[in-house]
Amino acid sequence: MDKPAVWARGRLADGDGRVVCLDVNGLSVDCTVPAEHGEPDGATSYGLLAASLSSCTAMSVRTFLQRFGVDGSGVEVDVSFEPGPPPVLHRRVGLAADLDTDHRAQLAAVVDSTPVTILLRDALVIVTRLDVTAPG
């Protein structure tokens, strides 16, 4: 059987059982289960979920901007998780670009149809805000 294109393996680390050592396509990262009170040091499962949406959105925005010859180096995608019911991912896409109304609408459609957005949208609510400002 061929190796899958995307894979991850989790292994419980020594200690109190709150850290999972992850190998994601060869990248090592630790994931921490939050204690009852306070924020954990490092990534959490929900943080990694937010990172998946953030990175997929940023790559999709970059591809959209490249298609129109617009610099995408200033794209920032912030995603935060709000536990539910229903659970909500708040996504803010920020960029400085000279986009007319039609291109802004096209960009909004691209953001709402990224592969990770499509995968997640039946399981939770994704609230998106586009912050597009003219450069300079």
Side-chain angles (χ1 to χ4, degrees), residues 21 47 56-57 68 87 110:
C21 301
C56 183
T57 302
F68 295 102
V110 165

Side-chain angles (χ1 to χ4, degrees), residues 30-115:
D30 288 345
C31 182
T32 305
V33 175
E36 283 188 44
H37 303 289
E39 293 293 316
D41 294 330
T44 65
S45 296
Y46 290 129
L48 294 172
L49 180 68
S52 294
L53 182 62
S54 177
S55 62
C56 183
T57 302
M59 288 185 276
S60 295
V61 169
R62 179 198 60 212
T63 300
F64 172 83
L65 294 174
Q66 286 175 340
R67 186 176 342 142
F68 295 102
V70 177
D71 178 32
S73 61
V75 173
E76 292 183 345
V77 181
D78 301 312
V79 176
S80 62
F81 178 78
E82 179 183 334
V88 179
L89 287 172
H90 295 274
R91 170 174 55 185
R92 185 194 70 82
V93 179
L95 68 140
D98 192 16
L99 299 179
D100 61 26
T101 304
D102 184 49
H103 284 123
R104 285 175 189 243
Q106 290 177 40
L107 176 61
V110 165
V111 167
D112 284 338
S113 64
T114 69

